[in-house]
Amino acid sequence: DAVASLARLYIHLGFGAEARDLLRGLPAEVADADILRDLAHLVDTPEPRPEARFAKMTGCAGEVALWAVLATPELSAEMAIDTAAVRRSFSGLPLPLRRHLGPALVQRFLAIGDDDTAQSLRDAIGRAPGDHGPGLGVIDAELAMAAAEPARAGATLAQLATGNAPGSAEALALFVEAQLDAGLPIDAATADNVVALAFEHRGTPLGARLSRLEALGLAATERFDAAFAVRDRLADTAEAETTAALTEELLSLLAGAADDAAFLARVFREEAWRGGRMSADLRLGLAGRLLASGFPDAALAALPAAERSNASELKLQAEAHLALGDARAALRAIAGQEGPEAARLRGMALARLGDHRAARAAFDAAAEGAAAARSAWLAGDWEAAAERRDGPMAAIASRLADRDPGRPETAAGDPAPATADAIDDTEPADGPLARAQSLLGQGAEIRQMIDSLIAETALPETR
């Protein structure tokens, strides 16, 4: 009983580490020792402890609701939470514990959009007399950000982040996060402060958070090698999930902001993006940059297998296959896909395979008029070419269509014997001189058409 009473006193005073050492170091069998250890952990560092026996009791009406909320890694709006019990229990805590636990508790309720409970918890601290330190300022800044007042939040955090009091590191982390989210630069003094505090808190969740911000700040100023070096250093102390999440964030910045030289110098030194293991947006961003940079094989490596790909990824795969000269693979990639972009890619693949009639139909579906006209011309479909061309090309296609009457075939597949009408149904009937004059006129017209075509398609002279 004495050991249990002393452990509870330690917890009351906020000495969580001492309470755990006491329970671990003395051989006494203490009732509900596991609950006391969990409370000691949450008091010492208000980080979630989902394995706590009371973690699933957020809907209970007693004091346990408060501790259950703190022990839950992520609250959701659908969870049963007795917020009235949480408020009562929080108000009944000693003021130092309210100051210590308040920021983490407020963050959890703001994350699920319960601003009223968050404000009530803040007031349970603010109405007490005395200097509440930077913790209350951090809470006020979080409430300001939740109320879409970033200027007020930034001013508060900038002032708090420059101190050395408990809570300053948390304020600095919030301030840098707000700056990065707004796309604003991080000044040199703030960046140095982040580096120093990340080192000071290394091996803790706050240290990992600060290291992440250090890396993101470096990447935001296009110092990607230094940013990935921070990621490598963080991997020595942080959990694999934390490092993987930071890798994805850095790759996203690399794909979206780096120039071509910086992008190519860094991306091939990373392996995490291969095999389509990144998020869908990042996969598309990386594959698009790699394809645009002339690396279609690497673009394919950034995408998942076809059966796990979405429509945008399948189209990008088709483009990469076309760049590699594999038209059949491109057709397989977009098989069954609809829409103008899929039709355009299908037309390109069919044209590569020499099926110009099918390519013309695909380009028509994609509203790609010039490509459809070219495919019609290559297919020898003169009527379609004449409809889709203008100028001398249309005139030539029209003349060729007139000379190709589409005669029926015999049973053997050979053209039926031509009749005089089929050969020329406009032959002049008034003698050799008239016929010669007609031929001369036709020749002059054809020469004019050819001259126009050459003038239209000629390359500029080079010297």
Side-chain angles (χ1 to χ4, degrees):
D1 289 344
V3 171
S5 295
L6 183 56
R8 283 194 288 270
L9 177 60
Y10 279 148
I11 293 171
H12 175 86
L13 296 173
F15 298 154
E18 289 77 4
R20 293 200 304 275
D21 285 344
L22 174 69
L23 294 169
R24 182 171 56 248
L26 294 180
E29 292 187 9
V30 177
D32 294 326
D34 59 334
I35 293 179
L36 291 175
R37 279 191 292 268
D38 288 331
L39 292 176
H41 170 87
L42 293 172
V43 162
D44 197 43
T45 170
E47 293 295 328
R49 192 168 180 79
E51 65 271 22
R53 197 205 303 179
F54 48 78
K56 299 184 183 301
M57 300 182 184
T58 57
C60 293
E63 294 178 352
V64 69
L66 165 67
W67 301 101
V69 167
L70 284 171
T72 303
E74 291 186 11
L75 297 181
S76 69
E78 292 73 29
M79 291 177 61
I81 303 173
D82 191 330
T83 55
V86 172
R87 296 180 190 185
R88 287 194 306 271
S89 300
F90 186 76
S91 296
L93 290 176
L95 181 58
L97 277 187
R98 273 181 273 160
R99 291 170 176 164
H100 179 58
L101 298 175
L105 203 57
V106 166
Q107 285 176 2
R108 281 168 170 74
F109 282 103
L110 287 177
I112 61 172
D114 190 348
D115 297 357
D116 290 341
T117 298
Q119 183 67 51
S120 176
L121 296 172
R122 184 260 177 226
D123 294 341
I125 302 171
R127 63 173 171 259
D131 180 9
H132 300 297
L136 188 62
V138 169
I139 293 174
D140 286 339
E142 290 177 327
L143 289 168
M145 286 190 286
E149 298 177 11
R152 180 164 65 90
T156 301
L157 291 171
Q159 183 178 4
L160 295 173
T162 58
N164 294 315
S168 294
E170 174 75 18
L172 177 65
L174 277 172
F175 174 68
V176 174
E177 285 169 347
Q179 292 289 100
L180 292 174
D181 289 344
L184 299 174
I186 307 300
D187 62 71
T190 301
D192 290 342
N193 202 8
V194 170
V195 172
L197 287 173
F199 181 79
E200 180 181 336
H201 293 274
R202 65 191 181 280
T204 70
L206 180 57
R209 182 180 175 189
L210 289 166
S211 292
R212 168 185 171 270
L213 295 174
E214 178 188 355
L216 293 179
L218 289 167
T221 55
E222 300 188 26
R223 289 178 285 175
F224 289 103
D225 284 343
F228 280 96
V230 173
R231 185 276 315 269
D232 294 340
R233 188 180 71 229
L234 180 62
D236 295 334
T237 57
E239 296 181 355
E241 292 80 3
T242 300
T243 306
L246 178 56
T247 297
E248 182 148 338
E249 288 182 291
L250 292 178
L251 285 172
S252 181
L253 288 170
L254 183 71
D259 58 36
D260 288 342
F263 174 75
L264 294 174
R266 186 71 226 181
V267 72
F268 288 109
R269 294 162 64 183
E270 298 294 320
E271 293 295 324
W273 56 268
R274 296 183 182 274
R277 296 194 294 264
M278 298 288 98
S279 64
D281 288 343
L282 180 53
R283 292 196 302 259
L284 284 173
L286 285 170
R289 283 294 302 267
L290 289 164
L291 184 58
S293 300
F295 294 91
D297 50 348
L300 289 172
L303 298 170
E307 59 270 16
R308 295 188 291 111
S309 297
N310 59 38
S312 297
E313 290 168 339
L314 289 171
K315 292 168 188 171
L316 205 52
Q317 286 178 11
E319 287 196 57
H321 285 305
L322 286 171
L324 290 168
D326 193 345
R328 296 188 187 281
L331 286 175
R332 288 194 295 270
I334 54 171
Q337 297 296 309
E338 302 295 337
E341 180 63 13
R344 182 186 71 84
L345 293 168
R346 189 173 291 111
M348 292 173 64
L350 289 167
R352 296 275 183 90
L353 294 171
D355 190 350
H356 296 295
R357 285 187 179 274
R360 190 261 298 168
F363 284 132
D364 278 338
E368 294 281 341
R374 183 175 185 275
S375 291
W377 185 277
L378 293 172
D381 187 350
W382 308 121
E383 289 186 2
E387 291 173 359
R388 289 161 178 77
R389 290 284 191 180
D390 53 16
M393 296 292 285
I396 292 173
S398 179
R399 177 59 61 89
L400 291 169
D402 291 342
R403 291 175 176 272
D404 182 16
R407 296 185 296 275
E409 294 183 345
T410 64
D414 295 325
T419 65
D421 289 341
I423 293 173
D424 188 356
D425 58 2
T426 61
E427 182 70 20
D430 49 349
L433 187 59
R435 287 197 296 271
Q437 186 67 36
S438 176
L439 289 172
L440 285 172
Q442 291 179 25
E445 182 183 354
I446 290 172
R447 283 195 302 274
Q448 183 179 357
M449 291 165 57
I450 292 173
D451 289 342
S452 299
L453 180 61
I454 291 172
E456 182 178 293
T457 59
L459 294 174
E461 291 185 7
T462 58
R463 298 186 185 276

